[in-house]
Amino acid sequence: MTVIVVSSHPEKMSEVRLPPVRALDDFLLGSTRLAPPDLRDLQRWHNRVINNLLYYQSNYLLVLGVGLLLGGYFRPVLTLLSGALIALIFVGFVWAAENKAPVRRIRRNYPGTCLFAVLGAAYFLVSLFEGSATFLIFIALPIALVLVHASLRLRNLKNKIENKMESIGLKRTPMGLLLEALGQEQEAGS
């Protein structure tokens, strides 16, 4: 799948490609190597999460898609409202980070906190419409599963090569753009 991205920065305009879905054996079963992160080395844990988000992004998109499809089946209006609120809050946050230096510093230094702040704000607004259970089950749970997998999955050689190609600009992917919006573009591939 190819998407052309139009950017306010013409030099950053490029073709965005969704990488292939990784085999279930690589993603979850057979050769999967899982290990808890070393909590004493937060930078290494951070790099593991970023690199796994880049490498397994198509699989993670499927996990989120299944959550949204189930939510759309059982509670379509609240699922749509939840997704729209997250999108609006995230776009507002990215705009603020691009235009306000203090927000930019917070985004760069505390990306996880920013993600949870966006999700928390969306949860609060959705709960006003009595949709908190819908939000937690169909949106927050898949995001939590993705983050847990990205934290526990050890990288392999193919993962490292793909991530290096992303970090030096040979490939542009949706997750790369999302991480860039969160101020993590320099971390990818390290």
Side-chain angles (χ1 to χ4, degrees):
M1 181 167 123
T2 302
V3 178
I4 302 296
V5 175
V6 178
S7 171
S8 60
H9 305 289
E11 68 278 358
K12 286 190 173 186
M13 238 172 88
S14 65
E15 207 173 272
V16 176
R17 293 186 185 270
L18 190 63
V21 175
R22 306 299 173 189
L24 194 57
D25 187 49
D26 180 28
F27 181 62
L28 206 54
L29 305 173
S31 65
T32 300
R33 299 176 345 178
L34 300 173
D38 182 5
L39 298 177
R40 293 170 298 187
D41 190 355
L42 294 179
Q43 186 62 39
R44 188 169 181 190
W45 181 14
H46 178 260
N47 289 340
R48 181 194 294 186
V49 170
I50 295 293
N51 286 300
N52 282 332
L53 286 173
L54 286 168
Y55 185 70
Y56 294 111
Q57 65 187 285
S58 295
N59 298 67
Y60 295 150
L61 185 61
L62 287 175
V63 169
L64 294 173
V66 166
L68 289 174
L69 284 173
L70 287 171
Y73 179 75
F74 291 110
R75 303 292 301 262
V77 173
L78 289 175
T79 302
L80 185 62
L81 177 65
S82 297
L85 284 173
I86 288 175
L88 287 172
I89 293 169
F90 183 74
V91 166
F93 170 73
V94 170
W95 177 85
E98 292 297 321
N99 294 305
K100 307 290 183 192
V103 179
R104 186 177 313 118
R105 279 192 299 276
I106 291 169
R107 175 185 72 173
R108 178 76 179 112
N109 295 330
Y110 305 102
T113 304
C114 293
L115 173 66
F116 289 116
V118 167
L119 291 174
Y123 173 76
F124 172 74
L125 292 174
V126 169
S127 68
L128 295 177
F129 297 100
E130 298 186 15
S132 55
T134 301
F135 178 85
L136 290 173
I137 293 169
F138 300 119
I139 293 180
L141 180 62
I143 291 172
L145 291 174
V146 164
L147 292 175
V148 166
H149 182 272
S151 291
L152 297 177
R153 181 69 167 92
L154 297 174
R155 296 167 54 200
N156 58 28
L157 182 61
K158 190 174 180 184
N159 179 320
K160 291 177 183 178
I161 292 170
E162 288 285 325
N163 289 334
K164 191 54 74 177
M165 290 175 66
E166 169 83 19
S167 70
I168 62 174
L170 296 177
K171 291 178 141 184
R172 297 287 290 165
T173 62
M175 184 62 73
L177 294 174
L178 180 65
L179 291 172
E180 189 176 312
L182 287 171
Q184 300 304 299
E185 66 275 354
Q186 293 150 345
E187 302 298 330
S190 54

